[in-house]
Amino acid sequence: MEPDLRQEVEAAVFRRLVEHLRRRSDVQNIDLMILAGFCRNCLGDWLREAAAQKGVALEKDEARELVYGMAPAEWKRRFQKEATAGQLAEFAQAQKTHSHD
């Protein structure tokens, strides 16, 4: 695949992932962290880092809003649930196995 086409395809996949996560507000960030080692906040941070590599400065919440589709504080108020003791324990265990890039 040609590099330009590959970049377009990868960008389309990223947009689809973001849209999927916006529709699935029932999926909590802690669950994503437990299972996959990343969450919506990570995607926003990675987006901010990639923009910085291109000379574009994004604030943390500005980048995360691009992922959430709203201010992160608003998403948290509307959708985030208190983590259970079980989730916190699973998260602690998962942190031992997931690499942190």
Side-chain angles (χ1 to χ4, degrees), residues 38-93:
F38 78 96
C39 69
R40 292 170 181 88
N41 291 335
C42 297
L43 288 174
D45 293 346
W46 298 341
L47 186 63
R48 183 171 46 87
E49 291 167 9
Q53 290 175 355
K54 297 294 184 184
V56 177
L58 289 175
E59 295 296 322
K60 180 171 68 171
D61 280 351
E62 183 181 14
R64 289 179 178 185
E65 186 171 331
L66 293 172
V67 173
Y68 283 98
M70 63 184 72
E74 175 68 12
W75 190 94
K76 186 176 181 179
R77 184 186 67 73
R78 290 175 60 185
F79 302 112
Q80 186 167 312
K81 298 174 183 157
E82 191 71 31
T84 66
Q87 285 172 314
L88 293 173
E90 285 183 82
F91 177 74
Q93 186 62 35

Side-chain angles (χ1 to χ4, degrees), residues 7-36:
Q7 188 172 16
E8 288 179 33
V9 170
E10 289 170 346
V13 170
F14 176 79
R15 288 189 297 271
R16 187 171 178 180
L17 172 62
V18 167
E19 284 303 316
H20 180 77
L21 290 172
R22 286 179 183 177
R23 285 191 307 273
R24 291 299 311 269
S25 58
D26 60 310
V27 177
Q28 298 294 295
N29 280 334
I30 194 165
D31 295 321
L32 291 169
M33 288 297 296
I34 291 166
L35 294 172

